Structures are given as structure tokens and as C-alpha cells.
Amino acid sequence: MSNNSIDAKMMAKMFLSGAKNLDAKKEWINELNVFPVPDGDTGTNMTMTIMSAAKEVQNLGDSADLEAICKAISSGSLRGARGNSGVILSQLLRGFTKVVKQHDVITVNVLSESFDKAVETAYKAVMKPKEGTILTVAKGASEKAHELAMEGCDDIETFCNEVIDYAEEVLSKTPDMLPVLKQAGVVDSGGQGLVQVLKGARDGFLGKEIDLSISEDAGTPGAKAVPGAETKQEDIKFGYCTEFIVLLNKPLNVKQEIDFKGFLESIGDSIVMVADDEICKVHVHSNDPGLAIQRALMYGQLSNMKIDNMWMEHREKLFHENSDGSWSEIQTEINGAAELTPTYSAGDDIPLGDKVDMSSEPEEDLGPRKDVGFVTVCAGSGLAEIFRGLGVDYVIEGGQTMNPSTADILDAVAKVNADTVVVLPNNKNIILAANQAAIMSEDSDDGKKIVVVPSKTVPQGITAIINFVPDVAIDDNIAAMTESLSTVKTGEVTYAVRDTVIDDVTIKQGDYMGIGDKGILDVGSDIADVTFGMLEKMMSDELELISVYYGDEVDEKDAEALRDRISAQYPQCDVELQFGGQPIYYYVVSAE
């Protein structure tokens, strides 16, 4: 192994190693979030972002050059970006690969230049960069990289060690830059995530034994396996695992990507589809692999094709677990698998929905084209219905515990038939992903424009859409909607997942917390008292309307009692109570 250069194979190894190390540390990073709420998800968002790219790199194989690896890292992380930390990480990777892809091998000088570009790209992506965050740690790493390059360092191991040591030193100082970190007794979680990526990459370079395989569900949240649970033969609805790469005739536009993905979803499940300028990688479980293959041929030639019969694989797995290995049993097993594998003849009804006409791309009926459409993000059936009642076209399920990715937002926008689609993120951790979707849509050929109204809470989103006037010019509407956000005060009540001190307030695990727009407003052991105390600190003489949205764990009678208590205390205000159905947060309260 050369100690003064990195080739394509080593680059892929280092990136996968960095991704795996972040994945292994994500729960620890989640716990570093300042607010001890049950939705602290920096580690999860960063992991989902980098794993999206890691899967793309893994699928390239060992023969990929640096340019192909860089494209996979950049496009994979961009499409998979979730939350502020994930979007910033994707931008760091995007800037880094812009430089690397121009070279055949990577030296210390190339790394230094790449670090500079990474930081420049990430800072540009954030409207108001804040020091004491992942950006600061990245900038520190870049400064040390530049210093080493100027000193003539050409040893990669030495370079990695000194850059990481300095990044950790900067990370340790983040509490001095952000008082809220110091009081909580933690370093910045995003910065810690970046350090773990760098450490993992160094381990890969040094040749440490690391399992670099990336599973299809790596980095994604999901239900935990139940001990003793097993998959039954009849539980496999779609029996053929189909994977291939499309060598594109020309880059897919946003509409083509959405249509292709929608088609795959119509014939199966377990869909993974990511497109770059030159290739499109597809994974789907279906009952007719030929349908996926035929559709893919509309976009280019196919490569790396792989089809597995999961019914047979499942029976074979059970056989190996339970058999004595005799030849007669093996033959019986193969015959049994064949009997259970469905076969179809011409004219048969294949159990995958309506037959698909392959002569042209399917067109979903989105209704007549209109001037303005709306996409919003929220969690809770009640809140979703409130938004739909106000004219929102598409509601993305997400928010506190699950930040939608840039690709999720683009998918939703594609389902709205309008010249301009207004996106309401309703969460400060989703705004960057929404902005990234708006930027990516600029290259679309469908004439659709995305505008983000940067709502940070659900009540702000509701107020924004109420302020939309159909007959007013779109620019004036956006200005009015954005201005209306400042008229809303929001408070949310949840529980603490750990002991901490924030804003001189001592919080114990299990306490209920009332969190306002700028911090903790009340803490206690009674949900109603905490909610009422939080509202008291939100109120001022000019406020006229109080809205209370109760969550899925709150009894309606308890919510009504709280409403009556608020009405008695503030008779000058209209008090509205509505079922939100939101998880995690018992009450969301707004005053305007």
C-alpha cells in the first residue's frame, strides 16, 4: 500500500468504512442532541444520507474509477439527504468529490483542495451558517489539511491523523461557541458525526478488518425484529429479487425518474432506484422481472443483471437449517420449491395489479393544471386532514421523528399538477432538504417551479396557507405567507429522554417539557400543568387566537378540560381545540 496516494479502489474502501463507522455510532450521536426529546435524530439523518451513497458505491464494483465513485457519492448522498445535518453532510461530500473526480489518484495536495471545496460548498448551502456546528468542525479539518499541504506533508497516514486530531480539538471547543451546548454538557452532534466518518475512512486506509458490506436497509429506521419471529413461505408476496443497471441513453429528468419509480412500485415492492447522469441503478421485488426489464430498456441498455427466486431461496434456507443433508431430501426440497413457484401462461391474470401497457409511459391523472399547488410535511392524521381542508394537494408524512429526504419532496411535488408548487416544511430540520429540492427542480423540463415558504412549525404552516389569496400574484402571495410566519408563536409538549440542564432549567428523564420557539418554557410532572405554564410564557396582550392540537396519546376529555382552563384564563382570546394525532408531542399550541 502506498502511503502517499489513494487510488479508486482505496477511495471506495475508505468511503464505505467511513459510512459503516457512522452507522455504528448513530445512536450515540443521537444522544448528543441538545434537547433531550425523543426525536433527537442527527445520527440517524446523517447515517441515512451517507448510506444512500454507500449503496451506490458498493453497486459499482471493484473496477470503478474515481469519477464513477465520486458521482455515486455525490448523487447518492444528495438524493438521500435528510435533515439539516444530512443535507450539510451531502454538500460536504458533493464539494469534496468535485475536486477528486478530476484526478486519477489522490494525494495530500488533492485532499487539501478537496477539503476546501467541501467547506465552501457546504457553507453556501446554509442561509445563515452558525459556528459551533458541523460546519465549524469541517472548516477546522480543512484548515489543518491546507496547513499540512503547505508544509510539504505527503504521507497520507500522517495527514489523516493530524486532520482528525485537529477536527476533534475543534469539536471539543464547540460548547464554547454555542452556550446551549455547554449548558447541556455535550459537543455538537453533527460535528461528532463528521469526525466519525473521518475516523472510519482512516481505518479503511490503514487496512483494519472492517465488514464493508452495505445491506439494502442499512441506515434506515424500521421495526425491530421480534425474537423468534420468522418469515413464512406465504409471506413472500413478490418472489423475484431483480437488480440491474441501466446505461442511460440520456440523463433522466425529474418526471421520468418519478414515472419509472412509480411503475416499479406498481409491479412490486422493496424499490431502490437512483439515477445519475449516465446510469440508473434498480432493485425491485416483483412477480414478473420481465416487466421491470422491458420498462428499463426504454431508457438505455442493461448491465449487471441479477434475478433471484426468493421462494426457492427461502425453502433452501429452511432446508439447510433443518435437514440431514441427504441427496433424497435435497431433491425433494428442489421439487417442492418448484411446485410452490407460480407459473403463468399467456392470458393468465398475474397477481400484481392491472396489466401494464408497455407501449407508452403510464400517465397518472393529476387533474387539470393549475397555477399554484401545495405540498406540506406533518405527522398525524388530524393535522394532515387540517392541511387538506385548507387546500394542500399533497401531505408528506414526516416531521419530528422522520425527516423526509430531498427525493421524498421531489416525489411529492411531481404528484401536484401546478405551475408553481409551494412547499411548507413545518420543521426547521426539513427546510434545507426542501431548498435542495427546489434547486434540483430547476433542471426539470416540465416547467414546474418549487418555492419554499420556510415554516418551522405546523402552526406556522397552517397560518401561511391561510394567508394565501388565489387571485393575488404568486410573488406577492409568497411574500405575505412568509411574513405571516412571524405572527405565530408555537409551543410543543413532549417528554425528556435523559437528565440535562438547558437555559438554567434542570430537566430529569421522564419530565414533561414545554418547548417554545426559542427554548424550554416549562418543565414538570403533569402534562396539563406544563402545557398551561408554557402557554403563559408565550402570551402577550396583542394575541387573539389560541389553537391547541392534541396528539395521539391524549384522551379527548383531557384535551377538552385543558381547553376550558385556557378559555377561563384568557377570555379575550378565541380558543380552538383540534385533534392533531401527532406522535411524540402531546400538545402543539399556537398563539397569534
Side-chain angles (χ1 to χ4, degrees):
M1 178 185 72
S2 171
N3 234 31
N4 57 16
S5 66
I6 298 169
D7 60 13
K9 188 173 182 178
M10 178 56 73
M11 168 72 174
K13 181 180 180 181
M14 292 176 69
F15 179 72
L16 293 176
S17 180
K20 292 284 282 192
N21 195 49
L22 177 61
D23 186 31
K25 306 289 178 57
K26 64 178 180 289
E27 293 303 332
W28 170 55
I29 294 169
N30 282 341
E31 293 174 2
L32 295 177
N33 282 274
V34 172
F35 287 100
V37 295
D39 64 344
D41 51 8
T42 298
T44 299
N45 283 337
M46 293 183 73
T47 298
M48 293 177 74
T49 299
I50 202 169
M51 281 300 175
S52 176
K55 292 170 190 174
E56 297 305 303
V57 172
Q58 180 175 259
N59 289 341
L60 289 176
D62 293 336
S63 60
D65 59 16
L66 276 176
E67 184 176 3
I69 292 169
C70 287
K71 283 186 177 180
I73 293 172
S74 180
S75 64
S77 61
L78 187 64
R79 295 173 190 279
R82 295 174 184 270
N84 287 353
S85 55
V87 171
I88 292 172
L89 177 60
S90 75
Q91 295 304 304
L92 288 169
L93 293 171
R94 179 167 169 255
F96 183 88
T97 56
K98 279 183 180 179
V99 175
V100 171
K101 70 180 181 182
Q102 300 172 11
H103 299 270
D104 295 326
V105 293
I106 306 170
T107 63
V108 165
N109 286 333
V110 173
L111 285 172
S112 173
E113 188 180 346
S114 301
F115 274 52
D116 283 344
K117 192 65 175 178
V119 172
E120 176 190 333
T121 304
Y123 267 85
K124 284 182 178 178
V126 181
M127 292 292 290
K128 296 180 180 179
K130 183 182 293 186
E131 298 305 325
T133 65
I134 182 176
L135 291 171
T136 307
V137 177
K139 184 168 66 174
S142 175
E143 290 171 349
K144 175 56 71 171
H146 181 75
E147 176 186 319
L148 291 167
M150 293 298 292
E151 292 174 353
C153 173
D154 62 357
D155 184 85
I156 301 289
E157 182 177 350
T158 300
F159 174 87
C160 290
N161 289 337
E162 295 204 24
V163 166
I164 291 172
D165 287 347
Y166 190 70
E168 288 194 295
E169 182 181 334
V170 174
L171 176 65
S172 69
K173 295 176 180 177
T174 55
D176 296 327
M177 303 176 202
L178 286 176
V180 68
L181 292 175
K182 191 165 191 174
Q183 195 164 46
V186 296
V187 296
D188 178 67
S189 54
Q192 184 65 269
L194 178 60
V195 168
Q196 296 311 313
V197 172
L198 295 174
K199 284 186 171 182
R202 178 181 60 184
D203 289 344
F205 179 77
L206 295 177
K208 292 189 177 181
E209 290 294 327
I210 304 166
D211 177 12
L212 297 179
S213 59
I214 308 293
S215 64
E216 287 297 334
D217 60 351
T220 60
K224 295 182 179 179
V226 179
E230 62 179 29
T231 302
K232 299 179 181 179
Q233 181 80 36
E234 56 269 26
D235 290 337
I236 301 177
K237 182 179 179 182
F238 298 102
Y240 294 99
C241 175
T242 307
E243 297 178 82
F244 53 82
I245 292 176
V246 187
L247 306 176
L248 298 171
N249 295 328
K250 60 180 180 179
L252 299 178
N253 60 40
V254 174
K255 183 179 185 302
Q256 287 173 323
E257 283 195 42
I258 299 303
D259 287 347
F260 192 10
K261 185 175 181 181
F263 172 78
L264 294 174
E265 290 173 342
S266 76
I267 66 169
D269 61 11
S270 298
I271 312 298
V272 178
M273 195 204 95
V274 178
D276 207 336
D277 290 344
E278 298 174 356
I279 62 174
C280 176
K281 290 170 273 302
V282 175
H283 171 279
V284 59
H285 292 175
S286 76
N287 285 337
D288 191 337
L291 292 177
I293 290 170
Q294 289 179 60
R295 173 49 62 97
L297 286 169
M298 297 172 60
Y299 303 112
Q301 300 180 44
L302 304 188
S303 174
N304 295 45
M305 299 178 66
K306 178 174 172 286
I307 300 174
D308 295 319
N309 184 327
M310 294 187 294
W311 288 297
M312 187 173 288
E313 285 181 349
H314 177 71
R315 286 181 58 83
E316 186 177 345
K317 177 177 180 292
L318 295 180
F319 162 74
H320 284 302
E321 290 175 352
N322 302 306
S323 76
D324 60 10
S326 66
W327 173 252
S328 60
E329 190 172 359
I330 292 172
Q331 192 64 41
T332 300
E333 172 60 26
I334 293 174
N335 291 337
E339 289 171 4
L340 285 172
T341 302
T343 57
Y344 304 101
S345 303
D348 287 351
D349 289 329
I350 302 174
L352 44 76
D354 296 333
K355 290 187 175 68
V356 180
D357 178 10
M358 296 302 301
S359 61
S360 62
E361 294 198 21
E363 292 291 339
E364 183 180 355
D365 183 11
L366 301 177
R369 186 84 164 188
K370 54 185 180 179
D371 293 334
V372 182
F374 295 93
V375 167
T376 194
V377 183
C378 72
S381 58
L383 294 176
E385 284 306 310
I386 290 171
F387 276 114
R388 292 190 186 100
L390 292 171
V392 167
D393 300 274
Y394 194 93
V395 178
I396 303 173
E397 184 179 356
Q400 299 294 355
T401 57
M402 180 59 182
N403 299 149
S405 68
T406 298
D408 292 332
I409 296 170
L410 286 171
D411 285 349
V413 169
K415 294 180 173 69
V416 179
N417 192 14
D419 294 330
T420 300
V421 179
V422 179
V423 178
L424 299 165
N426 302 334
N427 187 302
K428 65 181 180 181
N429 209 30
I430 302 174
I431 294 174
L432 277 181
N435 287 337
Q436 189 62 57
I439 293 171
M440 292 177 69
S441 72
E442 292 175 359
D443 297 328
S444 173
D445 60 1
D446 63 359
K448 189 178 295 184
K449 179 182 179 182
I450 298 178
V451 179
V452 179
V453 174
S455 53
K456 296 181 179 178
T457 66
V458 165
Q460 281 191 354
I462 291 173
T463 295
I465 198 166
I466 287 175
N467 277 271
F468 175 78
V469 181
D471 296 330
V472 173
I474 184 61
D475 289 344
D476 292 336
N477 258 313
I478 296 302
M481 294 171 73
T482 302
E483 185 178 352
S484 72
L485 303 181
S486 63
T487 68
V488 186
K489 294 183 178 180
T490 303
E492 300 168 313
V493 178
T494 186
Y495 61 93
V497 296
R498 67 172 184 275
D499 295 350
T500 189
V501 177
I502 299 177
D503 298 333
D504 297 324
V505 177
T506 299
I507 302 169
K508 297 295 184 182
Q509 181 177 347
D511 281 350
Y512 298 111
M513 303 179 296
I515 305 174
D517 294 320
K518 297 183 179 179
I520 301 291
L521 296 181
D522 205 272
V523 176
S525 58
D526 182 86
I527 295 176
D529 288 346
V530 168
T531 306
F532 192 80
M534 174 186 73
L535 179 61
E536 281 186 315
K537 296 179 178 66
M538 291 166 55
M539 292 300 294
S540 56
D541 292 340
E542 74 276 7
L543 298 174
E544 302 173 343
L545 173 64
I546 299 170
S547 299
V548 180
Y549 307 92
Y550 63 96
D552 61 354
E553 295 185 27
V554 177
D555 185 270
E556 184 177 4
K557 291 183 179 179
D558 291 338
E560 290 173 345
L562 176 63
R563 176 201 58 197
D564 294 343
R565 180 179 175 183
I566 294 172
S567 296
Q569 180 67 24
Y570 302 104
Q572 76 279 14
C573 294
D574 293 326
V575 181
E576 296 181 351
L577 176 68
Q578 300 191 63
F579 172 67
Q582 68 274 6
I584 305 299
Y585 288 78
Y586 302 104
Y587 290 101
V588 175
V589 180
S590 68
E592 51 191 305

